[in-house]
Amino acid sequence: MTTSHNRNELPENAHQPHPDHDRGLEFDLSTLMSRRSLGMFLGAGGAAVALAACSPNGSTTAAPSATDATATAASTESASASATASSSATSTPTITRAIAECGVEIPQETAGPYPGDGSNGPNVLEASGVVRQDITSSFGTASAKAVGVPLTFTLTLLDNANGCTPLAGAAVYAWHCDRDGKYSMYDSSLKNENYLRGVQEADANGQVTFTSIFPGAYAGRWPHIHFEVFESMNNATAAGQVLTVSQIALTKAACDDVYATPGYEKSITNMTRTTLQSDNVFGDDGGIYQLATMTGSAATGYAAFNVTI
């Protein structure tokens, strides 16, 4: 069984890729199992996991209109049933497309060595202030603020096992590195900071949107955002049962645009050493089921749309 590391035992260069970094879900189960039941985690007693609002080719384009998405939904029997089941939710382009594309199982992924959820050292989920929409700043007694190109990302939670109805009331914990590729709570210079981490409750459409900054690319990994989905806010803030753990891959076009701006110089080199196909998390399928649809620019900021459950 893997031994969890205490934050005080992490090496001074903890922001560098850990030898066990993102080795896969199976590797992480030993630490997760010490705190969680596998029933919901593997979907045996809960919702199946699906992906929507993503572009298989990773294009940096706007989300389709509600009309286009409805037409797509009509093309398959399951999508049509989903749209009917979700008629009570307010229609938006992202929720309509999510309904249309609901049904594809999203891969379970590792939480990595820097989750901050109590499974590997520090636990931010039980801290007052972690429930928030804007995750750019630290909270509580910490005060640092992450700087970088603005990014908002939206996750759409749908119950694939129940006609793709919105999972209103579910909770999402999201986290990612800063523009230098460092994780708060773990890097030697950020042990007392907790920025770029937060929890939100899904609205009536099953959606959560976080305001953040564009993460950098560090050695060994394609640029990404981590997330865990919980059945309820109570489960999230008590580090309880998890519905799914996965990651969002950011598009190459958006990364190239952002990394050409001041402050992201290290990311340019790291991007040349890793591709979606060689990444040890997204590489098995090139990230096709986790690649976000992205809009915007480095000058104005980016928006990313991704997942359904």
Side-chain angles (χ1 to χ4, degrees):
M1 174 168 296
T2 303
T3 302
S4 297
H5 298 287
N6 183 280
R7 60 186 291 182
N8 296 321
E9 296 174 344
L10 291 173
E12 287 301 304
N13 63 343
H15 66 274
Q16 296 298 326
H18 190 280
D20 293 333
H21 184 57
D22 293 359
R23 284 176 54 182
L25 180 64
E26 183 178 354
F27 178 83
D28 275 9
L29 285 181
S30 58
T31 54
L32 290 170
M33 278 295 292
S34 65
R35 181 168 63 85
R36 300 167 178 158
S37 165
L38 270 177
M40 297 297 284
F41 186 78
L42 294 180
V49 180
L51 172 88
C54 74
S55 167
N57 295 320
S59 58
T60 308
T61 58
S65 67
T67 301
D68 292 339
T70 302
T72 303
S75 66
T76 64
E77 180 179 352
S78 60
S80 297
S82 301
T84 301
S86 301
S87 60
S88 61
T90 303
S91 178
T92 67
T94 52
I95 190 68
T96 305
R97 182 173 181 181
I99 291 170
E101 298 182 358
C102 186
V104 179
E105 186 172 348
I106 187 173
Q108 296 275 356
E109 302 290 5
T110 174
Y114 314 120
D117 62 359
S119 63
N120 180 23
N123 187 357
V124 75
L125 294 179
E126 296 178 344
S128 176
V130 70
V131 179
R132 62 213 185 114
Q133 189 268 337
D134 189 333
I135 62 175
T136 54
S137 298
S138 290
F139 60 92
T141 59
S143 59
K145 182 175 182 178
V147 294
V149 171
L151 171 70
T152 62
F153 55 96
T154 299
L155 293 84
T156 304
L157 312 180
L158 302 180
D159 187 351
N160 188 38
N162 191 28
C164 293
T165 54
L167 280 174
V172 174
Y173 167 44
W175 73 97
H176 62 81
C177 69
D178 62 18
R179 71 177 181 182
D180 294 321
K182 301 178 181 180
Y183 285 85
S184 67
M185 305 176 71
Y186 289 87
D187 183 80
S188 59
S189 63
L190 299 173
K191 287 183 178 180
N192 295 319
E193 302 296 339
N194 49 32
Y195 59 47
L196 306 181
R197 300 178 184 274
V199 175
Q200 278 199 79
E201 183 176 40
D203 63 16
N205 290 327
Q207 290 187 318
V208 297
T209 298
F210 291 91
T211 298
S212 190
I213 58 101
F214 206 101
Y218 54 89
R221 283 303 318 277
W222 184 264
H224 59 282
I225 297 170
H226 296 265
F227 67 92
E228 295 179 337
V229 180
F230 297 82
E231 186 176 22
S232 67
M233 186 66 78
N234 286 340
N235 271 348
T237 55
Q241 286 185 326
V242 174
L243 290 177
T244 193
V245 180
S246 196
Q247 298 179 27
I248 300 171
L250 304 181
T251 65
K252 185 178 187 303
C255 291
D256 288 344
D257 183 30
V258 171
Y259 296 162
T261 63
Y264 286 92
E265 289 82 4
K266 294 179 181 178
S267 295
I268 296 175
T269 300
N270 290 330
M271 277 288 288
T272 64
R273 298 172 177 171
T274 307
T275 66
L276 273 168
Q277 289 68 34
S278 67
D279 184 83
N280 60 5
V281 170
F282 304 125
D284 55 347
D285 57 15
I288 188 172
Y289 298 124
Q290 292 149 284
L291 197 60
T293 292
M294 303 193 69
T295 64
S297 69
T300 61
Y302 272 94
F305 308 93
N306 202 263
V307 211
T308 37
I309 290 192

